[in-house]
Amino acid sequence: MAEAEFNGKEEELKPYLVVDVKEMCKRADALRAQGKRIGLVPTMGALHLGHLSLAIAAKNECDVVIVSDFVNPTQFAPGEDFDKYPRTLDADINLLSKIGADYIFAPKPSDMYPEGFDAKVHVGGVSQLLEGEFRPTHFDGVATVVLKLFNISRADVAYFGQKDYQQVQVVQKMIDDLNVPIQIEMLPIIRERDGLAMSSRNQYLSNEERKEALVLSEALAKAEEMIRAGERDANAIYAEMRAIIESAPSAKIDYMRVADPKSLQPLERVAGNAVVLLAVRIGATRLIDNKIIDRK
Ligand code: PAF
């Protein structure tokens, strides 16, 4: 393909919107042929500062930034929030224009999963725990779409947020096991001023629920405080976390886990580094959050 084909003025409009899978592949091929380092930020849109922090890192470290904006149907189970998940492409384009992202890739589900599509990436082990127990088909959908996005974007490096800590471990395992030629970077959780982890799903919360949702970050702060003060017994940590979370009338705990940072296996005693993860439903909204406790 002639490189000049994609050197038209249209690309001065940043981010340049690509909706067609084959077109994105061709553009990415052309960029690779020019020796460009491509950074991918996979998102489901409804962008907030958490996503922007990933795109800014990509901008700083790569020649070209592609942000994918695709609400992936295969990672939602029936009855989950696929239909109501916010779709805000125009606002997303506007935000990305402010930081100079180069491409926004927003394919149609029928182009990502054409009739007859029949492949699935299943990562065992780390995908079976925690989220995997509550959303058993979720990580197959994530791994499959993420591998497709890696392939379509021809990215050298992809950026993920720590908020989806388990997702990052699942993606890393897929990369290692399948020798996928890409690097990933995990960047810290971006929080609202009061501590709530930024999430596209926060907009489902009523005013009252928004206040109650603070129990997630408060419980994690308590866990960190206890571990740093020398508490080693995970059950003692869970008891304090539970008391904080259950002080919110509409909170229901799906899980709380003090875990090994890589395998995510539960730790009964916290001897070295750990990650504390939780999923809590506040009314009808399911929120996740976590804290890495690095004790080096
Ligand atoms: O973290 C997300 O937004 C999604 O799970 C991802 C990685 C974009 C795959 O659809």
Side-chain angles (χ1 to χ4, degrees):
M1 168 194 341
E3 283 173 29
E5 191 180 332
F6 295 130
N7 283 343
K9 287 223 177 318
E10 84 231 343
E11 292 190 327
E12 288 168 16
L13 288 172
K14 282 190 181 175
Y16 183 69
L17 172 65
V18 179
V19 296
D20 185 78
V21 171
K22 288 204 175 77
E23 183 189 345
M24 190 72 254
C25 294
K26 282 186 188 169
R27 286 178 182 273
D29 277 340
L31 292 162
R32 291 288 289 229
Q34 292 165 25
K36 306 279 191 207
R37 179 171 169 83
I38 301 177
L40 171 71
V41 181
T43 84
M44 297 205 297
L47 301 185
H48 51 66
L49 284 178
H51 300 111
L52 293 188
S53 71
L54 305 179
I56 290 168
K59 184 83 194 156
N60 289 336
E61 295 171 8
C62 301
D63 301 312
V64 176
V65 178
I66 301 174
V67 178
S68 64
D69 190 315
F70 178 62
V71 185
N72 172 38
T74 66
Q75 67 190 76
F76 292 80
E80 292 187 346
D81 58 340
F82 175 70
D83 289 333
K84 79 167 183 179
Y85 198 87
R87 285 153 171 93
T88 59
L89 185 59
D90 289 345
D92 295 346
I93 291 174
N94 189 33
L95 280 175
L96 292 174
S97 72
K98 299 200 188 331
I99 58 154
D102 300 280
Y103 293 93
I104 181 161
F105 173 53
K108 290 201 176 63
S110 58
D111 200 11
M112 286 292 272
Y113 303 112
E115 200 148 315
F117 182 92
D118 203 13
K120 187 185 282 180
V121 181
H122 174 77
V123 180
V126 73
S127 78
Q128 313 291 291
L129 311 157
L130 303 166
E131 288 299 291
E133 285 166 29
F134 287 84
R135 305 180 71 192
T137 58
H138 174 64
F139 284 124
D140 286 357
V142 170
T144 305
V145 80
V146 166
L147 186 59
K148 279 180 72 83
L149 292 169
F150 287 173
N151 288 335
I152 293 166
S153 67
R154 320 293 203 233
D156 296 278
V157 48
Y159 295 81
F160 292 87
Q162 184 201 315
K163 191 173 83 61
D164 295 296
Y165 187 91
Q166 187 178 9
Q167 169 171 278
V168 179
Q169 304 314 311
V170 171
V171 170
Q172 185 64 64
K173 187 81 171 92
M174 170 185 81
I175 289 171
D176 293 346
D177 285 1
L178 299 180
N179 306 99
V180 184
I182 194 166
Q183 244 182 286
I184 60 169
E185 277 189 33
M186 178 174 77
L187 293 176
I189 298 176
I190 305 293
R191 298 182 179 277
E192 304 285 354
R193 274 169 193 269
D194 59 7
L196 180 67
M198 287 195 186
S199 163
S200 309
R201 291 188 166 101
N202 290 349
Q203 54 190 280
Y204 300 155
L205 299 166
S206 67
N207 290 341
E208 198 42 48
E209 289 170 343
R210 170 68 184 73
K211 289 183 206 142
E212 292 188 23
L214 289 183
V215 296
L216 280 87
S217 53
E218 287 167 3
L220 291 171
K222 184 72 186 172
E224 177 168 27
E225 180 194 311
M226 291 176 78
I227 294 169
R228 295 208 184 281
E231 182 60 72
R232 297 287 167 263
D233 178 7
N235 283 330
I237 297 167
Y238 296 144
E240 294 290 330
M241 290 176 73
R242 180 177 296 284
I244 292 172
I245 296 168
E246 291 182 347
S247 71
S250 57
K252 299 239 160 11
I253 299 170
D254 273 358
Y255 60 78
M256 300 178 290
R257 182 75 50 88
V258 182
D260 173 83
K262 200 149 182 65
S263 69
L264 300 188
Q265 289 294 334
L267 299 171
E268 279 175 28
R269 293 195 63 76
V270 193
N273 293 340
V275 57
V276 187
L277 307 109
L278 46 74
V280 177
R281 281 170 287 139
I282 303 287
T285 305
R286 187 170 183 281
L287 299 175
I288 57 172
D289 199 351
N290 66 79
K291 194 163 269 278
I292 298 170
I293 321 259
D294 192 338
R295 296 171 58 235
K296 262 182 271 153

